[in-house]
Amino acid sequence: MLQAQTTEGAKWFWIVANAVFLSQAGALVIGGMVLSDIDVGHLRLAERLGLMAGFALTVTDPVVARFFARDHGNSILLKRHFILASGFATIFALTISIFIIFFNDRLLKLVGGDAEIGRALLYVYLAGSVFNAMTGTSSMLLSMTGNEKFLMRTVVMTFLLAMPSYYFGGLAGGAMGFAIAYLLILVLKNSIIFLRVLQILSGPDADMDANGKTG
């Protein structure tokens, strides 16, 4: 039984890992198809700087994962851990974002970007990073409490939506259209996952394992 559960979990993690990789690779390919070289350059610079705020989850998730796994089935403790982790990640991301906004001209020039062109793109990616920090811990909670299937299905579904969104967003609005498409897909994915977490945390303890009847 344990071996079967482990194999099933590994399968879904493999699926999501490939979906994330393909999403990143696909974004690069589509960006190269529909954007000019200058737009791609500014987009990549804004993305790199904006995603610095995402470092908050890199710090938070490994720490909180063991608490989610340990207290699996206890909605009260899970809710407490989730609120603390999300709050910490949000404050961390906001702090980094404020620093980047304050020094955005210098940072963009330092890495070779045009501050005037890159500023608006940077704000879009910073907004995405802050929203991801606010809700991103939801993915870790689902993956550590038997809800891997729901998580992976959501990631794959939004990946399938992301590719045409990037393409048409880039065609319609250039680098800004591409960045807004990225933000909308991120908000959609994280909102679905976050709402699922709220449903779990507000329900009875028996609802924790979605691989049972609630999967």
Side-chain angles (χ1 to χ4, degrees):
M1 181 66 177
L2 179 59
Q3 183 178 0
Q5 290 178 340
T6 301
T7 301
E8 183 72 7
K11 179 187 75 174
W12 285 103
F13 278 117
W14 181 85
I15 292 173
V16 75
N18 281 278
V20 171
F21 170 76
L22 289 174
S23 180
Q24 294 171 341
L28 289 174
V29 172
I30 292 173
M33 290 171 54
V34 300
L35 302 176
S36 67
D37 291 344
I38 294 176
D39 278 346
V40 171
H42 285 118
L43 192 69
R44 294 298 292 169
L45 288 173
E47 178 188 21
R48 293 297 182 184
L49 289 174
L51 293 181
M52 286 174 61
F55 181 68
L57 283 179
T58 305
V59 174
T60 305
D61 277 354
V63 175
V64 78
R66 66 187 186 94
F67 292 105
F68 287 156
R70 185 193 66 187
D71 297 320
H72 171 75
N74 189 323
S75 60
I76 295 176
L77 287 178
L78 282 178
K79 187 181 298 184
R80 183 183 304 167
H81 300 325
F82 178 73
I83 291 173
L84 288 174
S86 298
F88 173 80
T90 301
I91 293 172
F92 199 140
L94 282 171
T95 301
I96 296 175
S97 296
I98 291 171
F99 176 84
I100 291 174
I101 290 172
F102 189 77
F103 292 104
N104 69 82
D105 286 353
R106 296 181 184 178
L107 289 171
L108 287 169
K109 289 177 180 177
L110 182 66
V111 294
D114 186 310
E116 193 64 32
I117 296 176
R119 188 180 298 110
L121 294 173
L122 176 58
Y123 291 162
V124 172
Y125 278 99
L126 284 176
S129 290
V130 172
F131 185 79
N132 196 43
M134 292 171 60
T135 58
T137 306
S138 305
S139 297
M140 181 58 70
L141 188 147
L142 291 184
S143 67
M144 300 303 293
T145 56
N147 291 270
E148 298 92 347
K149 288 184 180 180
F150 179 88
L151 174 63
M152 308 319 167
R153 284 196 294 262
T154 302
V155 170
V156 172
M157 179 197 73
T158 50
F159 159 70
L160 295 176
L161 289 174
M163 297 303 103
S165 298
Y166 294 157
Y167 180 80
F168 291 109
L171 282 180
M176 180 54 70
F178 190 98
I180 291 175
Y182 158 80
L183 179 61
L184 292 177
I185 291 297
L186 174 66
V187 169
L188 174 64
K189 174 176 70 71
N190 282 23
S191 295
I192 293 172
I193 295 171
F194 181 68
L195 289 174
R196 175 58 178 161
V197 167
L198 291 182
Q199 181 185 32
I200 291 172
L201 294 180
S202 62
D205 291 346
D207 287 342
M208 287 296 161
D209 190 348
N211 288 335
K213 294 183 179 180
T214 58

